C-alpha cells in the first residue's frame, strides 16, 4: 500500500464508522423515543408486509388472517341435530364495506341484519377500517356496547347503529354485564397498554363510570404475592417507553374482568358475589380480586399461555381460553393449538376440555368462549376468522367462517360472537332491509 494513501484510507474508515454509528444512534433514538419519522416508517413497513402476506389488499394482519386451501362455506352444520338454534351475533371485518360490522345470523346461516360498528370512529380515526372492536356486549333491547383497540372510545349503539351515548377514554378489551344494570371493563393510561390500569364499573344507561379499582392498589396490597402480579424488574411503578413498544412497557396487558354473579356465588364458597375474575396476559395469570378491599383472593399462572376470557361456570370451576402462544414479543410462536381449559379454584386441578380433535382452532391473540344453555361452548378463533360451536367434550357442531366474498380460501378477522335466543329479533327493526353502503 502506498504510504501516502494510508492517511486517506484511515480517514475514510473513520468517516464510515462515524456515519454508521451516527445512523445507528439516530435510528435507535427514532425507534425508542418514536421521533419523526418513526410513524411513517412503521406504517410503511406494515403496508409493504401486507402486500406480500395478504395479496396486495393493504390490510393489517388482523383483517386477513388465514388461508384454507380447500375452500370454506360461510356456515357448516356438521351435526345439525345437536347444533344450537337461535341467533348468532358476530362482530367481524367485512371487506365489502372496509369496516367491522355486527351481523345477526339464524342457526341455519341466513343473514338477518347488519350494523356498522366502526362508523362512530369516523370523527377520530382516518382509517376506521383498521380499528378493531375490542370489547362487545349485547343488551336485551338489541343495542350493544363496544370499545376499540387503541382508540379512546366506548359507546352504546342501538340495533340500527345510532349512537345512544359515548365515553371518551382508553377503555379496552372485555365488557361484562352485572346484575345491577352496570358493566365492567378495563381502562388504561396513558393508553390501552399503559402501565396504569383500572377496573371500571359503568352504568349501561349513561356510560358514566360509577366505580374504579386501580390495579396498582391490588399489586401493593398483595404483599408477598405482589411478585406474581408484576413481571417488570424495576420497582413499581415505572413508566414504560412511550407509545407502541412491542410489549416492552406492557407490564400487565389485562384483557378480562367480570363479576361473580349472586346466582353462582354458592358454587364458589371461597369467594363472594361481586368479586372480580381478571386475566393478566403478560404474566399468564388468572386471578380473583375483591373490589372493595383490593385484595388478591386467588391466582393461578398457567398452565395456559397468553390466555384470554376466563369465565365463571355454574359447577364451581373457571374456564379459560388458552391461546397457547409464547410470550416472545418479537416473534410469536405457537406451542400447539389453542384450547379451552377448566380449573377448579379450590384445588387448582386443571382439565383440558376442547383441543385438537376433528376441528382444532388456533389464534395468536384475542379469542373468546361462551357456554350456551344447551351445554355446548361457542369458541371465537379470532385470527383464523372462525366461530365454532363444540360440545363440552370438544365435538364440533357448527362452524361460521368469515370468508372473503371473492376468495373462499381466505378468512377475515372475527372479533366477537354471542348466542341469542331465537325470539331475540322477533320484530326486525325498520333499518333491517337497508344494507350497509346504501343510502338510508
Amino acid at each position: 500500500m502506498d504510504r501516502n494513501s494510508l492517511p486517506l484510507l484511515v480517514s475514510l474508515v473513520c468517516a464510515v464508522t462515524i456515519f454508521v454509528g451516527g445512523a445507528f444512534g439516530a435510528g435507535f433514538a427514532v425507534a425508542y423515543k418514536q421521533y419523526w419519522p418513526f410513524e411513517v416508517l412503521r406504517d410503511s413497513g406494515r403496508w409493504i408486509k401486507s402486500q406480500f402476506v395478504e395479496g396486495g389488499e393493504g390490510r393489517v394482519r388482523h383483517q386477513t388472517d388465514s388461508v384454507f386451501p380447500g375452500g370454506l362455506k360461510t356456515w357448516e352444520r356438521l351435526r345439525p341435530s345437536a347444533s344450537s338454534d337461535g341467533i348468532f351475533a358476530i362482530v367481524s371485518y367485512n371487506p365489502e364495506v372496509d369496516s367491522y360490522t355486527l351481523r345477526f345470523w339464524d342457526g341455519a346461516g341466513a343473514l338477518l341484519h347488519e350494523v356498522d360498528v366502526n362508523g362512530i370512529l369516523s370523527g377520530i380515526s382516518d382509517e376506521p377500517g383498521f380499528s378493531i372492536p375490542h370489547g362487545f356486549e349485547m343488551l336485551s333491547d338489541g343495542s350493544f356496547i363496544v370499545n376499540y383497540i387503541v382508540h379512546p372510545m366506548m359507546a352504546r349503539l342501538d340495533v340500527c347503529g345510532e349512537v345512544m351515548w359515548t365515553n371518551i377514554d382508553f377503555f379496552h378489551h372485555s365488557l361484562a354485564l352485572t346484575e345491577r344494570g352496570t358493566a365492567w371493563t378495563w381502562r388504561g393510561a396513558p393508553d390501552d397498554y399503559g402501565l396504569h390500569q383500572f377496573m371500571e364499573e359503568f352504568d349501561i344507561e349513561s356510560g358514566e363510570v360509577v366505580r374504579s379499582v386501580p390495579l396498582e392498589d391490588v399489586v401493593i396490597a398483595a404483599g408477598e404475592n405482589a411478585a406474581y402480579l408484576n413481571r417488570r424488574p424495576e420497582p413499581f411503578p415505572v413508566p414504560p417507553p412511550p407509545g407502541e413498544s412491542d410489549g416492552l412497557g406492557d407490564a400487565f396487558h389485562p384483557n378480562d374482568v367480570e363479576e361473580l354473579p349472586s346466582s353462582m356465588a354458592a358454587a364458589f364458597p371461597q369467594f363472594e358475589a361481586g368479586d372480580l375474575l381478571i386475566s393478566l396476559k403478560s404474566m399468564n395469570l388468572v386471578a380473583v380480586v375483591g373490589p372493595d378491599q383490593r385484595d388478591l383472593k386467588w391466582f393461578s399462572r398457567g398452565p395456559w399461555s397468553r390466555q384470554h376470557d376466563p369465565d365463571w361456570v355454574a359447577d364451581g370451576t373457571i374456564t379459560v381460553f388458552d391461546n397457547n402462544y409464547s410470550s416472545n414479543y418479537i416473534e410469536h410462536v405457537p406451542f400447539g393449538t389453542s384450547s379451552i381449559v377448566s380449573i377448579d379454584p379450590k384445588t387448582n386441578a386443571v382439565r383440558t376440555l376442547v383441543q385438537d380433535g376433528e376441528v382444532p382452532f388456533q389464534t395468536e391473540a384475542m379469542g373468546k368462549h361462551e357456554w350456551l344453555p344447551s351445554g355446548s361452548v361457542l369458541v371465537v378463533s379470532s385470527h383464523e376468522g372462525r366461530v365454532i360451536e363444540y360440545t363440552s367434550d370438544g365435538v364440533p357442531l357448527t362452524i361460521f367462517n368469515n370468508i372473503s366474498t371473492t376468495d373462499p380460501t381466505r378468512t377475515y378477522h372475527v372479533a366477537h360472537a354471542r348466542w341469542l335466543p331465537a325470539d331475540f329479533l322477533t320484530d326486525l327493526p325498520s333499518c333491517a332491509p337497508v344494507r350497509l353502503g346504501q343510502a338510508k
Side-chain angles (χ1 to χ4, degrees), residues 88-358:
F88 296 86
I90 300 177
V91 179
S92 57
Y93 177 70
N94 183 344
E96 291 186 2
V97 293
D98 191 25
S99 185
Y100 276 78
T101 66
L102 166 60
R103 284 178 277 187
F104 296 92
W105 306 81
D106 68 16
L111 180 61
L112 304 176
H113 180 51
E114 185 170 21
V115 186
D116 188 351
V117 175
N118 279 12
I120 191 173
L121 297 179
S122 59
I124 64 171
S125 172
D126 294 331
E127 298 178 300
F130 287 80
S131 304
I132 302 170
H134 225 179
F136 169 79
E137 192 60 72
M138 288 294 309
L139 301 178
S140 59
D141 64 352
S143 65
F144 57 95
I145 305 172
V146 65
N147 60 40
Y148 299 87
I149 292 180
V150 305
H151 287 296
M153 170 69 76
M154 180 169 66
R156 180 176 175 180
L157 309 179
D158 70 16
V159 73
C160 293
E162 299 298 323
V163 178
M164 301 176 68
W165 55 253
T166 61
N167 191 331
I168 308 301
D169 211 328
F170 284 99
F171 301 100
H172 62 89
H173 282 91
S174 68
L175 290 162
L177 300 175
T178 73
E179 301 164 310
R180 299 181 299 281
T182 63
W184 286 93
T185 191
W186 283 97
R187 178 177 64 84
D191 55 31
D192 290 17
Y193 305 105
L195 183 62
H196 300 285
Q197 295 287 335
F198 304 84
M199 294 164 264
E200 304 221 311
E201 182 183 9
F202 63 92
D203 178 65
I204 64 173
E205 295 300 325
S206 66
E208 295 180 0
V209 173
V210 297
R211 183 164 43 157
S212 182
V213 180
L215 182 57
E216 180 178 342
D217 287 0
V218 178
V219 174
I220 293 172
E224 63 182 13
N225 289 323
Y228 292 100
L229 292 165
N230 185 7
R231 68 174 178 84
R232 291 182 61 82
E234 301 88 352
F236 183 92
V238 175
E244 293 185 17
S245 56
D246 289 332
L248 295 177
D250 190 11
F252 301 110
H253 199 117
N255 58 25
D256 197 23
V257 53
E258 54 186 76
E259 185 176 292
L260 175 60
S262 59
S263 60
M264 289 189 186
F268 296 90
Q270 69 276 49
F271 306 132
E272 299 176 47
D275 284 348
L276 301 176
L277 177 61
I278 67 172
S279 170
L280 303 181
K281 174 182 169 181
S282 291
M283 282 151 287
N284 302 327
L285 185 136
V286 172
V288 175
V289 172
D292 295 327
Q293 302 300 320
R294 274 70 159 154
D295 53 331
L296 182 65
K297 295 188 172 184
W298 171 84
F299 63 90
S300 179
R301 297 185 78 168
W304 43 77
S305 180
R306 316 295 286 170
Q307 80 290 334
H308 286 75
D309 191 31
D311 284 347
W312 305 102
V313 183
D315 65 0
T317 62
I318 292 168
T319 54
V320 180
F321 189 109
D322 178 11
N323 294 80
N324 205 20
Y325 265 76
S326 77
S327 58
N328 185 323
Y329 285 102
I330 305 303
E331 182 180 2
H332 291 186
V333 179
F335 294 132
T337 58
S338 302
S339 63
I340 306 299
V341 299
S342 169
I343 183 168
D344 184 340
K346 295 184 288 296
T347 64
N348 281 355
V350 178
R351 293 186 302 127
T352 299
L353 303 180
V354 181
Q355 185 180 36
D356 296 328
E358 181 181 337

Side-chain angles (χ1 to χ4, degrees), residues 112-113 428-435 438:
L112 304 176
H113 180 51
L428 287 176
S430 59
C431 57
V434 182
R435 289 290 166 239
Q438 300 177 359

Side-chain angles (χ1 to χ4, degrees), residues 419-434:
W419 177 89
L420 305 168
D423 59 356
F424 188 81
L425 288 178
T426 301
D427 298 318
L428 287 176
S430 59
C431 57
V434 182

